[in-house]
Amino acid sequence: MYIFNAGAGADQDSILEVRVVLVDSEPEIWRLFQLRNSLALNQVHQVLQTAFGWEDAHLHRFVASDPFAPLRPVDGELPEVLQWLPRQECEEPADRPEEDCSLDQLLALGSAEAFYEYDFGDSWLHRLELVSRRPADEDSPTARLIDSARRGPLEDSGGFPGYEEIMDALADPTHPDHAEHSAWVADITCSDAPFDPAFLDIPTVNRTLAEKFRRTLPGEKRGK
């Protein structure tokens, strides 16, 4: 789909437009970001946690290719699959500290594509796709969400099968589990307001990202 080199201009201060899709979501759940190319992967982790509504309650990893795709043997042996984890979680020879790898470097390894897995039980797999690159200027935010579709699934909802079951029960007052799931969602979201899986508050996400990375959004002044 993309014909440019992911590593082109990697040494320059650039803004990357990156589309992130939650793999196997239907309807598709995605985010479109503007991100500094120099962001370390631990910072990208923070961006994704904020934008998808995750609570950083589980393990995560980054990989340069689909971690669930079948591996092809090379010279009769399966190739080593590198993964980037928090430094304190690195235990195996193929583990690399996420703090030491930038977003640009990871995308270059995967030919403009990479993957982020959150919660190895529910296995929320995100595909990161590089859409475009432009030079950064002094007003460019470190991380900004510019478009999206649907809010992220709820924590600990059991992957897509569990999440879809919960959404079906919420949508049907006659469902035998409607009351139970409604109470669970209210507890998870700390709100009795009706849960809308299609709604995402982009301005709130961007205010949170601006605070995390201590940069003022265009047109806004940072409070004292």
Side-chain angles (χ1 to χ4, degrees), residues 170-185:
L170 288 187
D172 181 5
T174 66
H175 193 288
D177 297 323
H178 177 79
E180 178 183 351
H181 285 320
S182 295
W184 182 82
V185 170

Side-chain angles (χ1 to χ4, degrees), residues 184-200:
W184 182 82
V185 170
D187 182 60
I188 289 292
T189 60
C190 299
S191 173
D192 292 325
F195 181 82
D196 184 359
F199 176 71
L200 181 71

Side-chain angles (χ1 to χ4, degrees), residues 28 30 98 109 160 167 184 188 199:
E28 196 173 65
W30 56 268
E98 64 182 13
L109 288 172
F160 281 117
M167 293 301 100
W184 182 82
I188 289 292
F199 176 71

Side-chain angles (χ1 to χ4, degrees), residues 1-222:
M1 179 178 180
Y2 306 119
I3 60 175
F4 54 86
N5 182 352
D11 293 333
Q12 301 174 359
D13 192 9
S14 303
I15 295 297
L16 308 181
E17 189 171 295
V18 179
R19 189 174 189 267
V20 182
V21 178
L22 198 51
V23 176
D24 293 332
S25 56
E26 183 60 44
E28 196 173 65
I29 300 171
W30 56 268
R31 305 286 185 265
L32 186 64
F33 296 99
Q34 291 175 343
L35 302 171
R36 292 261 175 175
N37 65 324
S38 58
L39 279 173
L41 295 185
N42 61 309
Q43 295 174 307
V44 178
H45 162 69
Q46 295 177 39
V47 171
L48 297 177
Q49 287 286 308
T50 299
F52 281 89
W54 304 127
E55 298 178 2
D56 204 3
H58 301 280
L59 298 174
H60 69 275
R61 63 172 175 165
F62 289 90
V63 289
S65 59
D66 186 345
F68 302 115
L71 295 175
R72 295 182 178 181
V74 177
D75 296 329
E77 296 183 1
L78 292 177
E80 183 180 56
V81 178
L82 298 179
Q83 60 179 4
W84 285 262
L85 308 163
R87 192 181 306 277
Q88 67 273 16
E89 302 292 340
C90 292
E91 298 177 350
E92 302 297 330
D95 294 348
R96 300 290 185 271
E98 64 182 13
E99 297 87 350
D100 296 344
C101 181
S102 73
L103 174 61
D104 223 355
Q105 291 170 329
L106 183 67
L107 289 170
L109 288 172
S111 299
E113 183 176 87
F115 290 83
Y116 166 80
E117 185 183 9
Y118 171 64
D119 185 350
F120 300 159
D122 285 358
S123 189
W124 301 111
L125 186 64
H126 309 64
R127 184 175 64 251
L128 287 67
E129 303 171 278
L130 178 59
V131 177
S132 67
R133 177 194 302 273
R134 64 174 174 80
D137 55 49
E138 60 181 14
D139 295 324
S140 298
T142 299
R144 183 174 178 82
L145 179 62
I146 57 177
D147 201 359
S148 69
R150 306 182 69 80
R151 66 174 296 165
L154 296 170
E155 290 273 7
D156 300 317
S157 53
F160 281 117
Y163 181 62
E164 290 167 4
E165 180 181 326
I166 293 168
M167 293 301 100
D168 288 344
L170 288 187
D172 181 5
T174 66
H175 193 288
D177 297 323
H178 177 79
E180 178 183 351
H181 285 320
S182 295
W184 182 82
V185 170
D187 182 60
I188 289 292
T189 60
C190 299
S191 173
D192 292 325
F195 181 82
D196 184 359
F199 176 71
L200 181 71
D201 188 345
I202 292 179
T204 295
V205 170
N206 280 326
R207 282 193 290 272
T208 303
L209 291 175
E211 182 62 30
K212 281 181 180 293
F213 296 103
R214 302 188 179 186
R215 296 183 65 90
T216 303
L217 291 174
E220 295 185 359
K221 294 184 178 180
R222 184 178 175 83

